[in-house]
Amino acid sequence: MENLTWLEIHALFDFLSMVAGLTIGMWFRRVCFRSFPHPVPEIYRHRYIIALLTGAVAGAYLFGTLNGMLSLEHDGGLLLGKSVLGGIIGGIIGTELFKWRTGIRGSTGLVLVPSLALGIAIGRVGCFLAGLPDFTYGIPTNTFFGYDFGDGILRHPVQLYESALMLVFRIMFLVAIWRRSAFWFRNGFYLFILFYAAQRFVWEFLKPYAAVAGGLNIFQWLAIVMGLYAFGMIVRNEQFSRWGKRID
């Protein structure tokens, strides 16, 4: 890794997270959902994937760039950045709009959860190894787990905090699915979104990003929106399930 630039390290781990995510996703679909119908009709699947990826890429770069422009000193030019949280929100918006246009009902994200959790865990290790130029490190700390990224200052390695929690959630998710938990089958994707939003909101207090309103940075406000969305969907699903109605 010593001979690679921070951009090359980041690109390498982005690639590894994508490959691992796709592999795990196909395995999960084949093993855990072989007896379940695909949530997206075959005629729409390619367009669904395009909508998902378009939304994810747009959200990642939109909010990552916006946060960089708010939090970094620059010469007024475009400071391109990307964000996992922004990508998730963009992907949700893209798929929800597509489902609304095509009349697809029900959650379509459950099968993506193991891939997303593992992909984020791997990607965050890349952020950690990329060091200071990646601008994903935490604020200075005197705690024993502070890490020196090369400038002599011990900082919170928040990238590794997030990576560890994503692995923990992935284990919880797989155990729940293996046990055939009806609650997790109904709400697994929304539980992932709620968990990710909650932990991300907390870690943002340990990052040097600029506040935009109410003492919170842009990612914390996005995390609040994500959390409310996920909580609302879980409540709706449980209400439908309790009264024997279709979840849509």
Side-chain angles (χ1 to χ4, degrees), residues 116-200:
L116 286 170
L118 181 61
I120 292 172
I122 294 174
R124 282 310 189 199
V125 174
C127 294
F128 172 77
L129 294 176
L132 291 174
D134 193 61
F135 197 55
T136 53
Y137 50 82
I139 58 177
T141 178
N142 292 321
T143 56
F144 72 93
F145 41 78
Y147 183 81
D148 180 358
F149 286 91
D151 63 350
I153 300 175
L154 296 178
R155 292 182 170 89
H156 283 284
V158 286
Q159 309 97 322
L160 299 186
Y161 301 166
E162 186 170 323
S163 180
L165 279 184
M166 287 297 97
L167 292 177
V168 169
F169 180 86
R170 186 172 180 273
I171 293 172
M172 293 168 50
F173 177 85
L174 292 176
V175 169
I177 295 300
W178 178 72
R179 292 179 174 177
R180 315 303 284 181
S181 166
F183 179 78
W184 279 76
F185 269 95
R186 286 193 300 270
N187 302 299
F189 177 71
Y190 304 121
L191 289 170
F192 165 75
I193 295 299
L194 187 59
F195 183 90
Y196 183 82
Q199 61 90 38
R200 184 64 185 265

Side-chain angles (χ1 to χ4, degrees):
M1 294 292 179
E2 295 181 358
N3 296 324
L4 297 177
T5 67
W6 74 274
L7 284 174
E8 291 170 337
I9 292 173
H10 212 303
L12 172 61
F13 276 84
D14 283 347
F15 175 75
L16 291 175
S17 66
M18 180 181 66
V19 172
L22 289 173
T23 303
I24 292 298
M26 290 189 297
W27 171 85
F28 186 68
R29 172 66 190 168
R30 184 172 301 176
V31 174
C32 299
F33 282 88
R34 59 183 180 273
S35 60
F36 288 80
H38 199 289
V40 180
E42 186 173 0
I43 190 174
Y44 292 129
R45 286 176 197 169
H46 288 92
R47 282 180 281 173
Y48 171 83
I49 294 174
I50 292 173
L52 169 63
L53 293 178
T54 300
V57 170
Y61 282 98
L62 171 63
F63 293 112
T65 299
L66 182 59
N67 179 65
M69 296 181 71
L70 290 171
S71 301
L72 287 174
E73 294 183 3
H74 56 95
D75 58 6
L78 179 62
L79 186 67
L80 192 63
K82 63 186 178 69
S83 159
V84 173
L85 188 148
I88 294 175
I89 286 187
I92 290 173
I93 293 174
T95 54
E96 289 294 346
L97 287 175
F98 181 80
K99 287 161 61 177
W100 173 69
R101 289 291 302 273
T102 57
I104 296 174
R105 300 184 181 277
S107 175
T108 58
L110 183 66
V111 71
L112 302 175
V113 172
S115 301
L116 286 170
L118 181 61
I120 292 172
I122 294 174
R124 282 310 189 199
V125 174
C127 294
F128 172 77
L129 294 176
L132 291 174
D134 193 61
F135 197 55
T136 53
Y137 50 82
I139 58 177
T141 178
N142 292 321
T143 56
F144 72 93
F145 41 78
Y147 183 81
D148 180 358
F149 286 91
D151 63 350
I153 300 175
L154 296 178
R155 292 182 170 89
H156 283 284
V158 286
Q159 309 97 322
L160 299 186
Y161 301 166
E162 186 170 323
S163 180
L165 279 184
M166 287 297 97
L167 292 177
V168 169
F169 180 86
R170 186 172 180 273
I171 293 172
M172 293 168 50
F173 177 85
L174 292 176
V175 169
I177 295 300
W178 178 72
R179 292 179 174 177
R180 315 303 284 181
S181 166
F183 179 78
W184 279 76
F185 269 95
R186 286 193 300 270
N187 302 299
F189 177 71
Y190 304 121
L191 289 170
F192 165 75
I193 295 299
L194 187 59
F195 183 90
Y196 183 82
Q199 61 90 38
R200 184 64 185 265
F201 181 85
V202 172
W203 299 142
E204 290 301 312
F205 285 111
L206 301 180
K207 293 183 181 181
Y209 296 158
V212 294
L216 304 178
N217 65 40
I218 187 172
F219 291 142
Q220 288 175 309
W221 283 110
L222 291 175
I224 290 173
V225 172
M226 283 178 63
L228 291 174
Y229 160 78
F231 181 76
M233 296 301 284
I234 291 171
V235 170
R236 188 196 68 162
N237 282 353
E238 292 310 293
Q239 288 177 338
F240 280 133
S241 176
R242 180 179 304 172
W243 296 102
K245 296 179 181 180
R246 182 179 65 187
I247 301 174
D248 55 19

